Amino acid sequence: MNGDYGTTTFVMHSGERYCLVIDKAKGLPVFHPNLFLTTQVRNTKSNSFSSVSSAANSLVVLLRFLNRRGIDLDQRINSRTFFDVHELDDLRDFTQRKFLSSPVDDSVLTLFSQEELEEAEGFVESSTQYNRLTVIAEYLKWFSSHVISRPSTTESKQIDSIEMQIKSRRPSRKGRNKDIDRSLDDVQLEALFEVIRIGSEQNPFTADVQRRNRLIVLLLYHLGLRGGELLNIKVSDIDFSKHQVKVLRRADERDDPRVNEPNVKTLERTLPISETLSKELHDYVTKDRRKVPNATRNSFLFVTHKSGPTVGQPISKSGYHKIMHVVKAVSPKLYALTGHKLRHTWNRKFSAHMDSMDNPPSEERQEQIRSYLMGWKTGSGSAAHYNKRFRQEQAKKAALELQENSGTRLPKDLRNDE
């Protein structure tokens, strides 16, 4: 393959995480894509690192497409030929691909072309393709305006047309059906708690990390935390005497060695924890964490226990996802387990608890309470969504009960009795 492109990430002296688009063959940054990332994505839109990284990966897809198709972008723009319709359709199809995340062995490349290997990887979700085409369209408009420094009216219309044509090829941006219940049911929860129980025959982890991994799941379940919030907790954020834990925003933390830094996307808040959970956290800190080499060099709660260059460092995003993957693989009942499903589960449990109270708070007050505990802005609509879905579930349940009770009063020949 004649050249390929990728991204590299690094941490600045200020603690800011950043990434660059690089030419892998030369090992050098690619000028215009990185200028676009800095001036149009990072500086103009003040996007987070994850947004900048996503945009960088979209530009890599464009560069790979141009490279595979032998298209000289500078020449096309200077000659005002831009793209043919079939090329834009080809670009649309190309942005659907999943790309290999690691280099392929040369012996494999002798059997299959790079394109064939990428096709074998499958396709990305429609939302990913949508974002890719959006970034590519905006980049091509920006780049064309730089190559043609003073475009005429006709040329400006050509540039705008290319952006419009690419964006018109984006898939529908219809979101997920928010009325679908993505929480774990009680049977799944029972299976989960048995898998993470210390000493359980089903527990897939070694004894030295069973308590840590159990606490990861329990904090997600009892507090409804996002993964980034969980990985950002420091020992100093826990008040063991008051049984509280603080969720704090730490973007661009200089003392965090993780390049792909987990971020808190929600509002800061202080959450109560049970005395039992507080004690279990204290036991982990004083009995397990303190024995891990290098753990005292940082104050993050959950650290890597496995020997190696990262021992004692805070758990990475990939390490967190690996833990969840190992847990879900133990039981068929947990096949769909993710950390975020436990956040949905918390919200289902919260709704059920509010509904079971003799004198529950008003719906407006429930939304305020839920918003605070989840870290949402009051009035954002997120809390109202869960209240609405719970009402729908209760309505369905009541309707079914009504049908079943009415059925017992029907003549026997009209019933569904066996």
Side-chain angles (χ1 to χ4, degrees):
M1 182 173 58
N2 297 322
D4 196 9
Y5 300 91
T7 63
T8 183
T9 58
F10 57 94
V11 183
M12 300 183 187
H13 291 302
S14 64
E16 180 183 352
R17 273 68 179 169
Y18 203 60
C19 64
L20 293 173
V21 175
I22 60 168
D23 183 326
K24 288 185 177 180
K26 299 177 181 178
L28 296 173
V30 188
F31 179 74
H32 282 105
N34 289 311
L35 182 62
F36 174 81
L37 285 176
T38 301
T39 62
Q40 306 303 305
V41 182
R42 175 183 177 269
N43 294 352
T44 303
K45 298 181 180 180
S46 300
N47 279 322
S48 64
F49 168 74
S50 60
S51 298
V52 175
S53 177
S54 176
N57 284 312
S58 296
L59 295 178
V60 166
V61 172
L62 172 64
L63 294 175
R64 287 180 172 178
F65 171 77
L66 298 173
N67 184 47
R68 306 282 197 277
R69 302 298 182 266
I71 297 174
D72 185 330
L73 189 58
D74 288 83
Q75 185 274 327
R76 290 288 187 93
I77 295 174
N78 278 311
S79 64
R80 308 323 192 243
T81 53
F82 297 100
F83 296 94
D84 293 329
V85 172
H86 76 274
E87 290 175 324
L88 294 178
D89 290 339
D90 192 14
L91 173 62
R92 174 201 60 206
D93 296 341
F94 193 82
T95 57
Q96 292 179 333
R97 294 184 184 182
K98 277 186 179 179
F99 291 92
L100 296 168
S101 57
S102 57
V104 180
D105 187 86
D106 290 340
S107 62
V108 177
L109 282 173
T110 60
L111 300 175
F112 303 97
S113 69
Q114 185 68 32
E115 287 90 337
E116 289 172 325
L117 287 168
E118 288 163 357
E119 287 172 357
E121 286 291 287
F123 302 96
V124 298
E125 294 183 0
S126 60
S127 59
T128 300
Q129 186 191 19
Y130 184 99
N131 291 333
R132 284 178 174 179
L133 287 170
T134 300
V135 172
I136 288 172
E138 293 175 352
Y139 172 75
L140 289 175
K141 179 178 181 178
W142 172 87
F143 183 67
S144 298
S145 299
H146 273 65
V147 174
I148 307 173
S149 58
R150 293 181 179 179
S152 64
T153 301
T154 300
E155 290 168 340
S156 294
K157 288 182 178 179
Q158 284 181 296
I159 294 172
D160 290 342
S161 176
I162 290 296
E163 180 189 28
M164 180 189 69
Q165 289 183 66
I166 293 175
K167 288 186 174 180
S168 71
R169 285 167 169 76
R170 296 177 298 186
S172 172
R173 205 178 186 184
K174 291 180 180 178
R176 295 178 177 176
N177 184 349
K178 294 185 176 182
D179 290 331
I180 295 176
D181 185 4
R182 294 185 173 85
S183 65
L184 301 182
D185 61 32
D186 290 341
V187 174
Q188 292 171 311
L189 288 173
E190 184 178 356
L192 174 62
F193 294 144
E194 177 57 28
V195 168
I196 65 171
R197 182 172 61 83
I198 296 175
S200 169
E201 292 183 358
Q202 294 187 44
N203 197 314
F205 302 107
T206 57
D208 61 319
V209 294
Q210 284 189 8
R211 189 188 338 246
R212 182 200 68 182
N213 295 348
R214 168 181 160 82
L215 283 168
I216 285 175
V217 173
L218 289 182
L219 286 176
L220 293 171
Y221 171 74
H222 286 299
L223 303 183
L225 297 176
R226 292 178 178 272
E229 295 172 337
L230 176 87
L231 298 180
N232 260 297
I233 296 175
K234 292 186 174 183
V235 176
S236 56
D237 296 333
I238 306 172
D239 189 325
F240 295 105
S241 61
K242 294 182 178 179
H243 311 308
Q244 295 177 342
V245 59
K246 292 181 179 178
V247 178
L248 303 175
R249 299 174 68 92
R250 293 192 172 94
D252 301 326
E253 175 80 2
R254 296 182 65 177
D255 296 331
D256 190 339
R258 295 168 291 193
V259 175
N260 190 5
E261 181 188 27
N263 289 314
V264 174
K265 297 181 179 180
T266 51
L267 300 178
E268 294 185 345
R269 57 204 186 276
T270 300
L271 301 175
I273 55 177
S274 69
E275 186 174 347
T276 302
L277 183 57
S278 179
K279 182 181 184 305
E280 194 164 345
L281 284 166
H282 188 268
D283 287 343
Y284 165 69
V285 172
T286 57
K287 297 178 181 179
D288 297 353
R289 188 185 184 282
R290 65 185 293 270
K291 297 178 183 178
V292 179
N294 303 324
T296 56
R297 296 182 180 179
N298 72 83
S299 58
F300 288 95
L301 175 62
F302 295 119
V303 296
T304 300
H305 288 222
K306 186 178 180 180
S307 298
T310 61
V311 64
Q313 291 186 8
I315 292 180
S316 64
K317 288 183 180 179
S318 60
Y320 160 74
H321 289 300
K322 182 178 180 180
I323 292 170
M324 301 306 294
H325 180 76
V326 171
V327 171
K328 70 186 288 184
V330 174
S331 171
K333 297 175 183 177
L334 303 176
Y335 76 96
L337 174 70
T338 64
H340 205 71
K341 279 187 179 292
L342 292 172
R343 185 171 170 88
H344 286 290
T345 304
W346 184 95
N347 276 283
R348 177 175 67 82
K349 293 284 189 180
F350 177 85
S351 295
H353 175 67
M354 291 290 108
D355 191 59
S356 67
M357 296 175 67
D358 293 334
N359 295 300
S362 67
E363 189 165 305
E364 181 182 1
R365 181 57 179 158
Q366 287 185 37
E367 288 184 18
Q368 292 172 350
I369 297 171
R370 192 197 297 265
S371 293
Y372 175 79
L373 295 175
M374 289 288 96
W376 296 321
K377 291 182 179 179
T378 302
S380 65
S382 297
H385 154 65
Y386 281 101
N387 283 353
K388 175 185 175 183
R389 190 170 73 189
F390 185 72
R391 289 197 307 271
Q392 291 173 338
E393 291 171 354
Q394 294 300 91
K396 290 176 183 177
K397 182 179 178 181
L400 288 173
E401 290 176 351
L402 180 61
Q403 292 175 37
E404 291 171 0
N405 292 335
S406 299
T408 60
R409 294 193 293 272
L410 289 171
K412 189 171 183 179
D413 59 334
L414 295 180
R415 296 181 198 170
N416 292 323
D417 299 343
E418 293 293 337

